[in-house]
Amino acid sequence: MRVVMKATCFALLLAAGLAESCFAQKALTWQEVRDKFEAANPTLRAGQIGIDESKAQEITAFLRPNPGLTLSTDGTQIAPYKGVWQPFTGTQFAANFSYLHERQLKRELRRESAQKATGIAVSGQADLERTLVFALRSAFVQTLQEKAIRDLAKENLSYYDHVLDVNRERYKAGAIAQVDLDRLELQRVQYESDLQTAEVNLRTAKIQLLALLNDRTPIEQFDVTGPFDFSAQIAPLDEIRQAAVDTRPDLKAALEAIDKAQTDHKLAIANGSTDPTLSAWYTYNPSFNNPFDHQTLGASVSIPLRIFDRNQGEKKRTELDIDRSGKLMEATRAQVFSDVDSAYATVNSTVILLQPYKDRYLQQASRIRDTIAFSYEHGAASLLDFLNAQADYRSVQVNYLNLVASYLNAASQLNLAVGREVLP
């Protein structure tokens, strides 16, 4: 009987474990989150469709003009004349074929302009991805930050519960007064509040991250993982500046806009030239003076006289657009340097603040807390000293976690300024 009960219990535990593993989801790393974001974010997918539309316009730009075909008839007798009615005897039939010949490489220049517009669209999509990935990284860092704060709140609550257990035993032994124990138990509310606040903040951060991923996974089954720390090693500013100049997609788009403006100016000049229309026709039963001229061929060349309209306005506009695009490129380059310098200074400042925390303050806060707690338990420190030590430890730990999050956000800002990841 006992063997059967044990086997049944084991089967139930195994089933429960399997069910839990089915609903649990592996915590996603930053790279996995980014891959999922690039595959599912609707804004990015819409931008990719815009690139495909621009490529389709390249096809349209290189199309030749359609030829024209005109079929006509004339000379059909519609009423008797002097008692004679031969309606189709004098009818002539004609077929006219015409084609507009484009000169000065108009088609090639249109295609080149469309291709450069596609290049600008590709750079714009890269710039859109750059800004969206920054928002994604910020949400990812916030989730890691809230997880760390929640774990700290759990640790503080567990530690404080241990302290309460020790002091309840001291109270029973008559080592402390009832009022001191009550004050200690009332202080636990602060740690419970910290834990609940951390839980709510963590859920909110996960909701924001799931929204960017366009994911409907339940919050309880969604989790992320990654290093929540800082690195004091940063590349020199000149190196990061050069990387930004080489990488920033908005700067690349500005340079491509200058190139496209130059091509558009060439196209405007070409469009100011004259394009002849070539025509040829075949006529059956024409009414010419030659009675034996029964089937004839004809041809013509139509040349517009561009006396007034020589596309002067478009030539001037595209010439000005070259200068305007150059000025915008200079403004973009200046903004790139400003973004890099500002983000670099923020990262350096955060590292300067973090280093003493890691080298001294964390260990000192922990050592002071443990020392005061030991002294209080043995009657060598006051209750106020103990509570202050607890509060100082909590404050130092929270400040450190917030500074690490500030560093990670500053690193993301620097990556945004450069256009690629230069800090993990």
Side-chain angles (χ1 to χ4, degrees), residues 112-113 116 120 253-269 313-331:
E112 183 180 347
S113 178
K116 291 176 179 178
I120 294 174
L255 292 169
E256 290 170 338
I258 297 175
D259 198 16
K260 183 180 183 300
Q262 293 171 344
T263 301
D264 290 342
H265 183 58
K266 294 177 183 178
L267 179 59
I269 294 174
E314 193 64 14
K315 291 176 183 176
K316 185 63 176 177
R317 185 197 67 81
T318 52
E319 184 179 6
L320 292 171
D321 193 46
I322 295 174
D323 188 50
R324 183 183 69 87
S325 299
K327 296 294 188 293
L328 291 175
M329 185 276 295
E330 293 175 4

Side-chain angles (χ1 to χ4, degrees), residues 348 356 390:
N348 271 331
Q390 289 288 332

Side-chain angles (χ1 to χ4, degrees), residues 82-94:
K82 295 181 180 182
V84 179
W85 187 34
Q86 296 178 339
F88 298 108
T89 300
T91 300
Q92 71 175 23
F93 301 93

